[in-house]
Amino acid sequence: MGPAVISMSTLGLIGSGHIGSTLARLGVAAGLDVVLSNSRGPETLADLVAELGPRARAATPAEAAAAGDWVVVTVPLKNYRQVPVAPLAGKVVLDTNNYYPERDGRIAELDAEETTTSELLQRHLPDAKIVKAFNNIFFVHLATLARPAGAADRSALPIAGDDSEAKASATRLLDLLGYDAVDAGSLADSWRFQRDTPAYVVPYAKNPQGRGISMDDPGTSADAAALRAALAEARRG
């Protein structure tokens, strides 16, 4: 994607917490326009927009959805049904959701491993093209490990989706933001990099602690080969 195309591309964010604000910073650094939103209203994002500069603006979730060439849904899973439906029809929607029962409440389908978080969002957004992405990396590492294309220490992130063109589009976005992409399969396969799997946060940790990390971990790069190995180790049940 050349500079002229990048200058015309917009990243919409539904949710502007740790992951959303980190992606906004990476997007602005890559030359994208960024439209941020949250559940509390555009005025609550004034400080972040001021930090990001003229390429960023705050809006409602519906406006961010309508504006984005890519739209990232990064809200607590319990709130996924509040994501606007109509403006996301036909769009590539990147889903960062993870299931935390202590926050989201129990979801029987997920507990029974009958579906995945991204399949739930796809069901809610039947005309969107959902791609799972950005859910398996600590937001601090997401910020610090981004590298230009071709860098020897560039990291890879997994994606999953049911639409090949949407996955290709998501791969372009990851490349712009500083990451290679590893295709982990369909939305049904996205459990391979959900919470508490080998591909979840640990590959990017310098000092992993079992399946977790400390919040002050400095991070380390994880290339496509390392990520594929971690994905292959995933087990259900």
Side-chain angles (χ1 to χ4, degrees):
M1 186 178 289
V5 177
I6 293 173
S7 69
M8 298 171 60
S9 296
T10 299
L11 179 63
L13 293 158
I14 298 177
S16 299
H18 290 316
I19 292 289
S21 59
T22 299
L23 291 173
R25 293 182 180 98
L26 292 175
V28 167
L32 299 174
D33 293 325
V34 175
V35 182
L36 301 111
S37 70
N38 63 16
S39 61
R40 296 177 295 135
E43 65 281 356
T44 66
L45 295 167
D47 289 346
L48 180 56
V49 168
E51 173 200 329
L52 292 169
R55 283 198 173 275
R57 65 182 175 91
T60 66
E63 289 166 343
D69 296 297
W70 301 278
V71 180
V72 178
V73 171
T74 180
V75 300
L77 181 62
K78 64 182 178 179
N79 296 332
Y80 80 90
R81 291 185 182 88
Q82 298 174 21
V83 174
V85 176
L88 291 172
K91 299 219 171 190
V92 176
V93 176
L94 295 99
D95 168 39
T96 79
N97 271 322
N98 288 305
Y99 176 38
Y100 291 90
E102 62 272 24
R103 176 196 66 190
D104 301 315
R106 286 287 173 186
I107 300 174
E109 290 176 281
L110 296 179
D111 289 338
E113 298 181 340
E114 296 171 350
T115 191
T116 62
T117 57
S118 290
E119 287 177 296
L120 291 179
L121 185 63
Q122 182 68 83
R123 191 185 307 166
H124 174 66
L125 301 171
D127 297 320
K129 301 170 183 178
I130 306 298
V131 179
K132 188 75 168 187
F134 303 121
N135 70 297
N136 76 313
I137 185 170
F138 181 40
F139 75 94
V140 173
H141 295 163
L142 179 63
T144 59
L145 294 179
R147 299 288 188 275
D153 61 344
R154 201 182 209 211
S155 291
L157 295 173
I159 62 172
D162 296 338
D163 184 289
S164 59
E165 290 184 3
K167 286 196 283 189
S169 180
T171 297
R172 290 195 295 274
L173 176 63
L174 265 66
D175 182 49
L176 287 171
L177 299 184
Y179 289 89
D180 293 334
V182 168
D183 189 341
S186 67
L187 292 180
D189 296 319
S190 63
W191 64 269
R192 289 188 173 276
F193 53 101
Q194 68 188 11
R195 181 187 180 186
D196 295 332
T197 60
Y200 185 79
V201 306
V202 169
Y204 313 98
K206 186 171 184 179
N207 303 301
Q209 301 176 355
R211 290 285 175 87
I213 61 171
S214 65
M215 294 300 99
D216 59 353
D217 187 280
T220 190
S221 60
D223 64 12
L227 182 57
R228 289 191 183 98
L231 290 166
E233 291 176 14
R235 299 291 183 270
R236 282 188 126 170

